[in-house]
Amino acid sequence: MVRLNKNGGPRNPEKIDRMCALFTDLSSKDMKRDLYIVAHVIRIGRMLLNDSKKGPPHLHYRRPYGCAVLSVMDVLQSLSEIKEEKDFVLKVYT
């Protein structure tokens, strides 16, 4: 889980090295399947659309905001072609 601030940056910049995942138990059989990285985006905050100051300020709700998907095969193919580190962008569908 990664927590972001309202501008989309990391909530705790000093812990940016912890914002990663490593999958070590994937076999070669698994890698031949259609694998996807799925990101569920949850908004934590007031229920009001405009975030006005009406209502109790201490109530924060978790609600779905969007979803993003990235194919692992696309990542592996592009990494094997260029042989260097590359950023991948996931489009979030709301």
Side-chain angles (χ1 to χ4, degrees):
M1 182 172 73
V2 177
R3 291 187 180 262
L4 303 176
N5 61 21
K6 65 181 179 180
N7 298 324
R11 188 178 222 183
N12 297 327
E14 63 276 356
K15 295 182 182 179
I16 195 129
D17 56 333
R18 294 185 185 177
M19 295 175 60
C20 64
L22 177 63
F23 301 96
T24 59
D25 58 347
L26 294 175
S27 67
S28 60
K29 184 179 175 182
D30 291 329
M31 298 307 289
K32 292 178 183 174
R33 295 181 180 168
D34 288 337
L35 294 177
Y36 298 93
I37 296 173
V38 179
H40 296 274
V41 181
I42 305 292
R43 184 183 191 276
I44 299 174
R46 297 171 174 256
M47 192 58 79
L48 303 171
L49 290 175
N50 59 4
D51 282 341
S52 68
K53 300 299 180 196
K54 295 179 184 176
H58 62 281
L59 291 178
H60 291 278
Y61 299 96
R62 290 186 58 178
R63 58 187 191 273
Y65 180 77
C67 186
V69 178
L70 178 65
S71 171
V72 173
M73 289 302 285
D74 293 343
V75 173
L76 293 175
Q77 287 175 352
S78 64
L79 289 177
S80 65
E81 292 172 3
I82 57 175
K83 304 284 186 201
E84 63 183 38
E85 192 172 309
K86 181 179 177 184
D87 291 333
F88 294 92
V89 177
L90 281 75
K91 182 175 181 181
V92 176
Y93 293 94
T94 58

